[in-house]
Structures are given as structure tokens and as C-alpha cells.
């Protein structure tokens, strides 16, 4: 099995080849796809004309990620009220986070169909815990499109979570604050004596 980092690199190379072929005027293989009505199930990969074979590879990887890394633990995370940081790190290393961010800022520079695949596969898995869409498709584009160059260099690379810096694993976005921040350590349970008296 390929490592997560290798998978992300392979996806990047595949995307660059696809963009080169597209620029050279080669035709898409989408005309050879089955119509959705001809598929055994709408979850079949490779049945919609808007996607191509690179999207299909990404979908397979994404589906596998949700099946193996999320679904088995989702109930536990729902009970705890949080998703572990390690899941975000794995998702970033695989290219599932902020993948439309330009390559110079640590993203893959993909088209909008890649995040759509992540949304679809997350919804197919039935797992609501990971907030990848807020992080990748609202916060990251906001900074990419409206941030200063310094903010982009400092923040967007960390949102894509493919930066080699060990601190990148601690940076996650928050809907209340579009800039990434270092998450505080988990709170200790408060004792009744530490709460202010009511009255």
C-alpha cells in the first residue's frame, strides 16, 4: 500500500499530466462513460460525464479514506464531540484538504470537481464529523482570494496541511476566525467547586 504522502504526490503528477493533455487539445474520455441510468448503482465510479479518469482515481482514494479512516471511528468521535487531529493530518497528506489552493501555496491547484468529490464521498459515508468543507472550501479560498501575500504564505499552506512543518499539524481553521490558529490543548473537566456560585 502506498504511503499517504506518496499518494498525494502521485495525484499531483496525475493532475499535471491531465492539465498538459487538456492544454494540448486532447479529447476527454468522458464520452465513453455510461449514462447514470445505465449504471448498476449511482454510487458506481465513472458514470457521470462531468468527471474524467483522474477524478475517478481521486474518488476511489477518497471513498477508501472515508471507509477505512472515518466510518469505523465515527460513532466514537460523535460521542467525544471531536475528530482527532490525526485525521486532519492524514486528509491533508492525501490531498483531501484545500485542494483547489494553488500549488505555490501548498495546494494541488485542482478544479472545483475535486472538492465536490470529497463532499459526495463524505455524504455517502454517512459521517458528519469531519468539517472538511468549511475548512477547505470556505476558509482556504477566502484567504487565497482576499488575503495579503504574507497571509497566504503563512496561512494557506497550513490549511492545505501538506507543508513539511511539524506545526502544520496543529493548524486547523475555524468558521469564527478565517485565519488558522493553533488549537488549545483539550480542556480538563471542570469541577463543581470551580464554577461561580449562582445567585
Amino acid at each position: 500500500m502506498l504511503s499517504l504522502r506518496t499518494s498525494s504526490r502521485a495525484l499531483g503528477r496525475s493532475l499535471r499530466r491531465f492539465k498538459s493533455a487538456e492544454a494540448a487539445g486532447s479529447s476527454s474520455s468522458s464520452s465513453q462513460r455510461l449514462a447514470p441510468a445505465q449504471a448498476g448503482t449511482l454510487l458506481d465510479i465513472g458514470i457521470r460525464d462531468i468527471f474524467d479518469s483522474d477524478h475517478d482515481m481521486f474518488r476511489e482514494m477518497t471513498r477508501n479514506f472515508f471507509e477505512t479512516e472515518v466510518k469505523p471511528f465515527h460513532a466514537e468521535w460523535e460521542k467525544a464531540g471531536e475528530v482527532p487531529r490525526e485525521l486532519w493530518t492524514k486528509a491533508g497528506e492525501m490531498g483531501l484538504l484545500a485542494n483547489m489552493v494553488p500549488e505555490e501555496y501548498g495546494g494541488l491547484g485542482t478544479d472545483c470537481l475535486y472538492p465536490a468529490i470529497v463532499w459526495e464521498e463524505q455524504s455517502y459515508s454517512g459521517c458528519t464529523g469531519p468539517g472538511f468543507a468549511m475548512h477547505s472550501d470556505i476558509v482556504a479560498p477566502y484567504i487565497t482570494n482576499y488575503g495579503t501575500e504574507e497571509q497566504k504564505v503563512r496561512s494557506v499552506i497550513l490549511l492545505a496541511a501538506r507543508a513539511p512543518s511539524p506545526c502544520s499539524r496543529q493548524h486547523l481553521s475555524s468558521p469564527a476566525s478565517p485565519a488558522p490558529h493553533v488549537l488549545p490543548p483539550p480542556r480538563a473537566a471542570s469541577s463543581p467547586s470551580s464554577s461561580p456560585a449562582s445567585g
Side-chain angles (χ1 to χ4, degrees):
M1 184 171 151
L2 293 174
S3 73
L4 299 176
R5 187 163 278 126
T6 304
S7 297
S8 182
R9 285 188 195 129
L11 177 62
R13 283 193 302 273
S14 176
L15 292 173
R16 283 189 284 283
R17 279 196 308 269
F18 173 72
K19 288 177 183 176
S20 297
E22 188 177 57
S26 80
S27 63
S28 172
S29 63
S30 63
S31 62
Q32 301 167 359
R33 293 174 170 264
L34 285 177
Q38 296 173 317
T41 172
L42 291 179
L43 294 178
D44 286 354
I45 295 174
I47 61 168
R48 290 185 281 173
D49 289 342
I50 62 170
F51 298 111
D52 59 35
S53 61
D54 289 328
H55 293 117
D56 295 344
M57 286 186 335
F58 184 75
R59 182 178 297 280
E60 287 177 27
M61 180 187 71
T62 305
R63 184 171 293 177
N64 184 58
F65 175 82
F66 280 102
E67 288 295 322
T68 61
E69 302 293 335
V70 180
K71 261 181 121 169
F73 312 103
H74 187 253
E76 175 186 328
W77 298 337
E78 286 291 305
K79 194 173 189 178
E82 64 184 1
V83 174
R85 293 180 190 182
E86 293 77 21
L87 181 74
W88 288 83
T89 302
K90 286 180 187 177
E93 288 172 348
M94 292 181 70
L96 300 178
L97 300 180
N99 47 32
M100 285 192 340
V101 167
E103 290 181 60
E104 63 265 26
Y105 299 116
L108 296 174
T110 66
D111 60 49
C112 64
L113 296 175
Y114 286 85
I117 290 168
V118 176
W119 306 332
E120 288 180 351
E121 292 304 322
Q122 182 169 356
S123 71
Y124 298 158
S125 75
C127 298
T128 57
F132 295 160
M134 172 65 74
H135 173 95
S136 301
D137 307 317
I138 296 175
V139 177
Y142 179 82
I143 297 170
T144 301
N145 293 316
Y146 301 110
T148 65
E149 189 62 25
E150 188 262 331
Q151 288 170 326
K152 291 176 190 179
V153 169
R154 184 186 71 223
S155 303
V156 178
I157 290 174
L158 297 173
L159 286 170
R162 282 179 288 285
S165 166
C167 69
S168 66
R169 296 173 183 212
Q170 298 175 4
H171 286 73
L172 300 177
S173 62
S174 163
S177 170
H181 60 282
V182 177
L183 294 176
R187 287 182 268 177
S190 60
S191 63
S193 63
S194 66
S195 61
S198 59

XYZ file of all heavy atoms in Angstrom, residues 89 157-158 161-172:
114
model
N -4.622 15.536 9.597
C -3.276 15.412 9.039
C -3.273 14.420 7.890
O -2.718 14.688 6.819
C -2.291 14.965 10.137
O -2.328 15.918 11.191
C -0.879 14.851 9.603
N -0.849 27.584 3.219
C -0.037 26.367 3.193
C -0.406 25.474 4.369
O -0.511 24.261 4.235
C 1.465 26.715 3.189
C 1.836 27.329 1.832
C 2.309 25.493 3.492
C 3.241 27.854 1.744
N -0.641 26.079 5.515
C -1.002 25.293 6.689
C -2.406 24.711 6.554
O -2.671 23.611 7.026
C -0.898 26.149 7.950
C 0.514 26.661 8.248
C 0.501 27.640 9.401
C 1.447 25.509 8.537
N -2.342 21.632 4.731
C -1.748 20.601 5.594
C -0.776 19.698 4.867
O -0.599 18.556 5.223
C -2.839 19.789 6.288
N -0.135 20.248 3.826
C 0.892 19.472 3.142
C 2.251 20.117 3.339
O 3.213 19.748 2.709
C 0.563 19.347 1.656
C -0.503 18.306 1.389
C -0.846 18.214 -0.060
N -1.603 19.342 -0.548
C -2.883 19.540 -0.305
N -3.550 18.707 0.432
N -3.516 20.574 -0.791
N 2.303 21.116 4.220
C 3.577 21.766 4.497
C 4.441 20.827 5.319
O 3.946 20.093 6.156
C 3.344 23.067 5.262
N 5.757 20.830 5.080
C 6.623 19.932 5.834
C 6.778 20.324 7.296
O 7.274 19.558 8.088
C 7.962 20.033 5.092
C 7.913 21.342 4.393
C 6.469 21.610 4.083
N 6.336 21.521 7.660
C 6.498 21.989 9.029
C 5.697 21.138 10.010
O 4.531 20.854 9.782
C 6.004 23.444 9.120
O 5.855 23.819 10.457
N 6.319 20.718 11.120
C 5.574 19.929 12.098
C 4.427 20.709 12.722
O 3.458 20.125 13.174
C 6.622 19.548 13.147
C 7.763 20.477 12.943
C 7.696 20.937 11.521
N 4.511 22.045 12.727
C 3.432 22.822 13.329
C 2.186 22.809 12.452
O 1.094 23.100 12.914
C 3.860 24.258 13.616
S 4.132 25.246 12.150
N 2.315 22.413 11.176
C 1.149 22.390 10.290
C 0.095 21.431 10.797
O -1.072 21.578 10.509
C 1.552 22.019 8.871
O 2.020 20.691 8.824
N 0.491 20.465 11.569
C -0.466 19.504 12.099
C -1.332 20.117 13.180
O -2.354 19.569 13.536
C 0.273 18.294 12.661
C 1.016 17.559 11.577
C 1.873 16.480 12.136
N 2.589 15.894 11.012
C 2.935 14.644 10.954
N 2.672 13.833 11.932
N 3.568 14.186 9.909
N -0.933 21.261 13.700
C -1.702 21.892 14.763
C -2.613 22.990 14.239
O -3.375 23.555 14.988
C -0.755 22.497 15.810
C 0.105 21.456 16.487
C 1.107 22.102 17.418
O 1.104 23.305 17.605
N 1.960 21.292 17.994
N -2.520 23.321 12.979
C -3.302 24.419 12.428
C -4.556 23.901 11.745
O -4.476 23.182 10.774
C -2.467 25.216 11.423
C -1.434 26.062 12.078
N -0.308 25.521 12.646
C -1.368 27.383 12.279
C 0.422 26.500 13.147
N -0.188 27.628 12.941
N -5.674 24.299 12.272
C -6.961 23.985 11.672
C -7.754 25.270 11.595
O -7.537 26.190 12.368
C -7.717 22.951 12.512
C -7.021 21.607 12.692
C -7.843 20.719 13.609
C -6.827 20.918 11.358
